[in-house]
Amino acid sequence: MTALHRGDIRTARRVVVKVGSSSISGENAERIGPIVVALAAAHGRGTEVVLVSSGAIATGMPFLLLDERPSDLATQQAAAAVGQNVLIYRYQEALRPFRIVAGQVLLTAGDLENPMHRSNARRAMERLLGLRILPIVNENDTVATHEIRFGDNDRLAALVGQLIGADALILLSDIDCLYTRPPDEPGAVPIDEVAYGDDMHGFEFGSVVVNSVGTGGAATKVSAARLAAASGIGVLVTSADLVAAALEGDEVGTWFRPNPLPSAAPATGPIRTAVDTLGG
Ligand code: GLU
């Protein structure tokens, strides 16, 4: 098997796209439309597309009359419960003109570790994809809180990619690519590509960001990208504005080259980072 290149995303069989809360909630809710156009184009080319979307908490906030993200876990979970169905409704409305049906899949990292749950989830996802339905995955926030606390679904997206044997994972955010240090700092240089096994020594990705709508940031993306790349999935980190170009295989974002021999990947070791450890 030859390792996937960025340009091969266009013809990849199976692609997971992850979109974060800030890209699709609040005043950015209207950006669901263009993102769905890009997903529908890839679906129309025959690619099996899985969307991992957060944004349930942020979408639910106005329905609970909250101006800002709640700080306590119970209210975050309540907001997620309210926001999740609104979010799925918005995606389905945007998909309707393309005659694509969405399937909601709520998972926890624990589900993907439990052999029985994992095999059930994989079977369901395979059937959904076989039926040409577009699965939309989020963390099951009423029973799990890893992604609320650390990473806005970045890690979940990598685990879903592993579950279904995806060829590529596209992690979308508000920034066009990763930089050698926080992009607002002087001397920050864009990172075009990361070789498999590169420990990225000397780069600064900051800590986990918690803002008014979600959690995440470059550190959780790097952690998730390395986790997926270790299992042979090519990973592109770019902005939600560039999702169409990313799915076309254009030279955008930061490309993490996949492990060319994924079965030889260590189960633990270099792919675990401080972010993973925090979640443990
Ligand atoms: N699953 C959560 C959501 O959809 C995670 C995002 C967050 O941390 O706000 O809202």
Side-chain angles (χ1 to χ4, degrees):
M1 188 179 95
T2 53
L4 200 83
H5 296 277
R6 185 168 7 198
D8 299 329
I9 293 178
R10 186 182 163 82
T11 51
R13 187 174 71 95
R14 200 166 266 194
V15 178
V16 175
V17 178
K18 183 259 160 175
V19 66
S21 302
S22 63
S23 302
I24 46 112
S25 63
E27 57 193 30
N28 284 336
E30 61 198 33
R31 288 166 76 190
I32 286 179
I35 291 169
V36 162
V37 170
L39 300 179
H43 183 273
R45 286 195 292 271
T47 302
E48 293 174 346
V49 181
V50 174
L51 178 64
V52 176
S53 176
S54 42
I57 294 174
T59 301
M61 278 164 34
F63 294 89
L64 299 187
L65 308 180
L66 297 167
D67 294 331
E68 50 186 46
R69 183 182 167 87
S71 54
D72 70 293
L73 195 53
T75 313
Q76 289 171 346
Q77 291 174 304
V82 171
Q84 178 65 23
N85 68 323
V86 178
L87 191 59
I88 288 289
Y89 175 80
R90 289 178 182 165
Y91 277 120
Q92 184 58 69
E93 284 303 290
L95 286 164
R96 192 181 307 283
F98 303 98
R99 298 176 184 273
I100 298 173
V101 175
Q104 173 180 264
V105 179
L106 299 178
L107 290 174
T108 70
D111 288 331
L112 301 178
E113 281 158 15
N114 173 309
M116 174 91 69
H117 290 194
R118 184 179 175 83
S119 121
N120 284 338
R122 183 190 282 127
R123 185 178 54 234
M125 294 287 280
E126 291 289 346
R127 179 56 59 88
L128 287 167
L129 292 169
L131 292 168
R132 299 292 287 147
I133 285 166
L134 197 149
I136 301 181
V137 182
N138 197 354
E139 185 180 53
N140 190 352
D141 290 321
T142 48
V143 296
T145 55
H146 178 96
E147 302 294 335
I148 291 175
R149 291 175 297 149
F150 315 107
D152 203 16
N153 284 347
D154 289 325
R155 181 165 178 270
L156 184 67
L159 297 176
V160 167
Q162 290 176 334
L163 178 77
I164 61 165
D167 303 300
L169 166 66
I170 302 176
L171 295 173
L172 301 172
S173 70
D174 300 335
I175 301 175
D176 60 340
C177 65
L178 293 172
Y179 287 78
T180 50
R181 51 195 301 127
D184 51 352
E185 289 184 12
V189 176
I191 301 170
D192 178 55
E193 195 166 286
V194 179
Y196 175 66
D198 185 340
D199 66 2
M200 306 185 83
H201 182 75
F203 296 163
E204 270 178 51
F205 298 114
S207 54
V208 176
V209 175
V210 181
N211 61 27
S212 58
V213 288
T215 58
T220 63
K221 288 194 172 47
V222 169
S223 171
R226 298 179 78 196
L227 177 63
S231 25
I233 303 170
V235 184
L236 188 70
V237 180
T238 191
S239 71
D241 289 342
L242 293 172
V243 60
L247 283 162
E248 293 272 0
D250 291 355
E251 287 291 314
V252 295
T254 300
W255 175 246
F256 286 76
R257 281 199 228 154
N259 180 358
L261 297 168
S263 56
T268 56
I271 58 169
R272 277 187 77 81
T273 69
V275 173
D276 293 324
T277 311
L278 279 168

